[in-house]
Amino acid sequence: MEAVRLRELFSTFLRIGIFTFGGGFAMIPLIEREIIEKRGWIAQKEFIDLLTIAQSAPGPIALNTAVFIGYKSRGYKGAFAALFGVVLPSFTILLLVALYFTQIRDNKIVEAAFKGMRPAVIALIMAPVISLLRPMKPLHIALATVAAVALWYFAFSPIYLLLASAIVGLVWAYFTSKNSAR
Amino acid sequence: MIYLELFISYLKIGFFGFGGGYSMLSLIHHEVVVSHEWISSAALSDIIAISQMTPGPIAINSATYIGYTIAGFWGSVIATIAVCLPSLSIMVIITRFFLKLRNSNYMECIMTAMRPSVIGMIAAASMLLIFPEEKQGASMIDAWSWMLFAAAFVASLRKVSPIKLIVLSAIAGIAIYYIPEVIAPKDETGTTESATSTTLWRGFDITQSEVIESDTFEQAWVDYLYLLQHREPSTAAYELKTTLEIADSSPEAALALFDLCEKYLYNPNSPIRHDELFIPSLEVILDSPKVDSLLKIRPTAMLQTVKLNRVGAVANDFKIVGTNRTMHQVEAPYTLLYFYDPECSDCKRVSAIINRSETLQELEIDNHVAIIKILATENNELDSLYDLKALPTLYLLDDSKRVLLKDATIESIIESLKQVSTK
């Protein structure tokens, strides 16, 4: 794969930054589309690993994702370019709002647009769940369902869930490597 | 130094905020509202509302906005950089580590075990967005929402570009929900009509702020507020609102009149304080198009507090310290909530009355009234559940924990309990 240009990295994340409405998860469908399907900077296979890392590390998911992809493609410079791209729209818009449009929340048109966007954003967040589950084994699908119910219905803390599954993976690795050594 | 404090606070938020935006909110709240008191809780919810209306991660949005609000342009730059730094440094390390080790058995196993949880997290996040804990800011508001949701879901599975879908759904939202303000001009002529017919209220021209600031007006206004309280509540609120709207033609006059309303209807030391009448005065200020939005931040917060536990509503539940019961689990025909601070002198007086009142003692022995004393100084979470701007604060609740008397005097509570018990 030829080296990704820094400018392209920046502008792609700028696009993503402009359209990430409704929190970090809303970025997932955009990443899938812009980075994986259109540009192929990371493989579909790596997508889930990227999400795992972005969610396990501290900090906003959107930033973590940008740094991961940026660093993987172009090292430190890439990480900066991607991060800068994803932060810039947010920064500029909020600064403009703080300066001139403190009444934005009373704006009827913006409010109406958001009433339409919110359900669509949820659908956009949900759709990748399907595409991620599709190649998985039934056991994994069952585990994902259990995890979703634990988090959503029983308000289980995501940090503990991630920690617990990492530990399970570690123990599992320990035993499999022991067996193969014998 | 404000820049340094801002930097450290947002560094913390960036560093400890696991799991993305919404779980960061409590951390942001702690830093900017609780420990530094840069902004109020209500102002933070305004910022969250604005973040939801603008693209980008909520952490960045709040950093930029709060940074700007408290320390200008450089404040916003510093807070934004601070919130990015942990992500940048930690993710670079993790990514390096991951790229090196990804073919090892350990990494493979850990990743395999974590994948289902991560997918579960995304699914849970979308479920929480569909069924939020708080009704405020809910995403699914009507049948249209579900239709848009279904359409976007199908389109997304069919690989329609997410950017296209977001733009289309925004257009659909405007088409469905935006009602061009045809009613507005009618409304405006309505008010200007009444304004021309009478900008006078009992001989005072209340569109002039100098008039409102005069002592003679203040006296007349206090008498008026006092008399209103003896009217039927909804008529009183309506009448007050109509009067306030006359003054609303000039923002200075509206604000001056609002100050008077606050002084007499809201200030804890006012003998005629009255939350239910204060609500219309807040609403007039908040609805006023001429009043600067910055001046509305405080009234917005006040409206939230005043609307807590209104008369007739079920009082907010809370855990009773030292027991494992909540207030709602206490069964009694009447419940007296007494929020106090052992240090304050008026609390000592009220405590003495509660302890000595024969009426109260008899009623308590007969299990007719449950008296719950709450040490308000120890219990910070109560601040968001009850309006405790002054102590002591007393509430009388009925058997289903609906508010009968709000922020009443102990004397009036005992008086009304006497009346119901003799019946």
Side-chain angles (χ1 to χ4, degrees):
Chain A
M1 194 171 63
E2 59 190 284
V4 178
R5 282 176 35 214
L6 285 178
R7 244 177 54 202
E8 207 186 342
L9 208 52
F10 170 77
S11 61
T12 306
F13 273 96
L14 194 72
R15 262 168 87 87
I16 293 176
I18 292 173
F19 288 96
T20 303
F21 286 96
F25 285 108
M27 206 177 158
I28 295 172
L30 293 160
I31 296 273
E32 193 180 29
R33 177 74 175 198
E34 297 286 319
I35 307 279
I36 300 170
E37 289 169 12
K38 267 167 86 173
R39 298 190 174 75
W41 288 342
I42 60 169
Q44 177 78 37
K45 249 189 10 231
E46 280 177 306
F47 184 37
I48 178 77
D49 290 342
L50 156 66
L51 293 178
T52 309
I53 292 172
Q55 294 194 23
S56 321
I61 294 171
L63 302 189
N64 293 349
T65 316
V67 173
F68 181 96
I69 296 170
Y71 185 81
K72 189 177 169 282
S73 333
R74 282 294 302 271
Y76 286 105
K77 283 182 191 163
F80 269 112
L83 185 72
F84 193 53
V86 88
V87 170
L88 196 62
S90 184
F91 178 78
T92 320
I93 291 169
L94 260 288
L95 203 59
L96 288 177
V97 168
L99 280 168
Y100 305 109
F101 307 107
T102 34
Q103 311 88 325
I104 188 175
R105 53 171 311 189
D106 302 323
N107 185 313
K108 295 277 184 291
I109 299 185
V110 176
E111 201 186 301
F114 270 87
K115 281 184 183 164
M117 266 156 67
R118 286 196 197 104
V121 166
I122 303 178
L124 284 173
I125 297 174
M126 262 186 162
V129 173
I130 312 278
S131 67
L132 288 169
L133 281 176
R134 215 176 266 148
M136 290 209 151
K137 296 189 187 112
L139 173 69
H140 289 164
I141 296 176
L143 282 175
T145 316
V146 171
V149 172
L151 290 167
W152 169 55
Y153 200 78
F154 298 103
F156 203 79
S157 156
I159 302 176
Y160 292 129
L161 181 77
L162 288 175
L163 259 179
S165 36
I167 291 170
V168 168
L170 205 62
V171 171
W172 178 38
Y174 179 73
F175 281 109
T176 49
S177 61
K178 231 180 174 180
N179 287 345
S180 59
R182 260 177 214 165
Chain B
M1 175 165 168
I2 188 76
Y3 290 140
L4 189 66
E5 281 178 44
L6 204 56
F7 184 80
I8 294 173
S9 272
Y10 269 94
L11 205 59
K12 268 195 225 166
I13 293 170
F15 196 84
F16 294 107
F18 283 89
Y22 294 94
S23 56
M24 255 180 191
L25 286 182
S26 60
L27 199 63
I28 297 176
H29 181 264
H30 179 84
E31 283 297 319
V32 305
V33 177
V34 181
S35 77
H36 289 286
E37 295 182 4
W38 282 325
I39 58 168
S40 72
S41 203
L44 181 64
S45 38
D46 272 1
I47 293 170
I48 295 165
I50 291 172
S51 301
Q52 284 166 341
M53 293 203 155
T54 46
I58 203 160
I60 305 284
N61 291 348
S62 88
T64 309
Y65 196 94
I66 294 172
Y68 181 80
T69 317
I70 61 180
F73 176 76
W74 290 108
S76 69
V77 173
I78 284 169
T80 309
I81 291 177
V83 83
C84 293
L85 273 183
S87 266
L88 183 65
S89 45
I90 297 170
M91 271 308 285
V92 165
I93 297 171
I94 295 182
T95 311
R96 283 182 78 150
F97 187 71
F98 169 76
L99 292 177
K100 245 182 217 163
L101 295 180
R102 70 171 144 182
N103 294 323
S104 80
N105 183 35
Y106 272 85
M107 192 50 106
E108 184 59 47
C109 288
I110 293 173
M111 282 299 179
T112 312
M114 285 176 89
R115 274 172 206 145
S117 304
V118 170
I119 299 177
M121 272 172 81
I122 304 170
S126 49
M127 291 314 274
L128 275 173
L129 287 171
I130 297 182
F131 307 103
E133 279 166 38
E134 285 174 38
K135 282 275 169 279
Q136 230 179 358
S139 303
M140 310 308 272
I141 42 177
D142 52 19
W144 284 110
S145 309
W146 288 100
M147 269 147 72
L148 283 169
F149 171 79
F153 190 73
V154 173
S156 176
L157 286 181
R158 300 226 166 146
K159 299 288 167 203
V160 176
S161 143
I163 293 180
K164 213 179 272 173
L165 282 177
I166 286 173
V167 173
L168 284 175
S169 65
I171 295 172
I174 294 172
I176 298 168
Y177 298 107
Y178 180 62
I179 305 144
E181 298 190 8
V182 265
I183 316 149
K186 206 184 178 183
D187 211 53
E188 222 166 64
T189 48
T191 46
T192 42
E193 226 173 60
S194 61
T196 44
S197 62
T198 170
T199 58
L200 294 182
W201 174 85
R202 300 189 180 178
F204 293 98
D205 181 357
I206 54 172
T207 56
Q208 304 295 320
S209 56
E210 306 82 56
V211 174
I212 293 171
E213 279 152 12
S214 71
D215 289 343
T216 40
F217 176 80
E218 184 164 339
Q219 188 54 53
W221 188 248
V222 174
D223 292 344
Y224 172 62
L225 293 180
Y226 177 74
L227 288 172
L228 276 182
Q229 299 186 3
H230 295 275
R231 296 269 202 83
E232 199 268 314
S234 60
T235 340
Y238 177 76
E239 212 200 295
L240 179 61
K241 206 166 176 170
T242 331
T243 313
L244 290 169
E245 275 163 359
I246 300 174
D248 197 31
S249 59
S250 131
E252 291 79 28
L255 285 167
L257 204 50
F258 171 74
D259 284 344
L260 281 186
C261 289
E262 182 191 340
K263 184 172 170 189
Y264 290 100
L265 295 174
Y266 186 69
N267 189 311
N269 295 321
S270 162
I272 59 164
R273 67 170 190 274
H274 199 288
D275 279 2
E276 287 302 310
L277 273 181
F278 191 47
I279 291 174
S281 15
L282 285 167
E283 283 170 348
V284 170
I285 280 293
L286 292 174
D287 287 343
S288 169
K290 289 177 186 133
V291 173
D292 189 82
S293 67
L294 277 177
L295 294 172
K296 290 182 182 173
I297 293 176
R298 211 168 69 94
T300 312
M302 284 174 161
L303 188 61
Q304 271 180 358
T305 330
V306 170
K307 280 192 170 169
L308 291 170
N309 310 303
R310 287 173 77 167
V311 173
V314 176
N316 284 329
D317 201 7
F318 55 86
K319 204 168 168 289
I320 301 171
V321 175
T323 67
N324 45 22
R325 286 193 304 174
T326 69
M327 188 270 283
H328 282 188
Q329 285 164 339
V330 175
E331 278 177 33
Y334 295 97
T335 307
L336 168 62
L337 298 182
Y338 171 42
F339 298 92
Y340 71 104
D341 166 5
E343 307 280 300
C344 91
S345 59
D346 201 37
C347 294
K348 285 177 191 152
R349 182 185 70 87
V350 173
S351 298
I353 296 176
I354 292 180
N355 291 334
R356 289 197 203 116
S357 156
E358 282 174 23
T359 325
L360 276 181
Q361 278 173 5
E362 277 170 25
L363 288 170
E364 199 180 13
I365 291 168
D366 297 343
N367 286 327
H368 216 70
V369 62
I371 302 177
I372 304 178
K373 300 175 184 173
I374 307 107
L375 197 56
T377 44
E378 272 184 0
N379 206 335
N380 287 332
E381 65 188 69
L382 281 175
D383 285 346
S384 57
L385 299 175
Y386 284 85
D387 178 10
L388 302 174
K389 59 182 175 291
L391 293 171
T393 299
L394 294 128
Y395 285 79
L396 185 66
L397 315 178
D398 69 3
D399 56 339
S400 53
K401 301 292 180 261
R402 281 178 198 286
V403 178
L404 293 172
L405 294 173
K406 176 181 178 180
D407 195 8
T409 60
I410 184 68
E411 289 82 5
S412 63
I413 288 180
I414 293 179
E415 193 53 42
S416 23
L417 281 171
K418 235 183 224 166
Q419 280 176 8
V420 288
S421 63
T422 48
K423 260 180 204 167

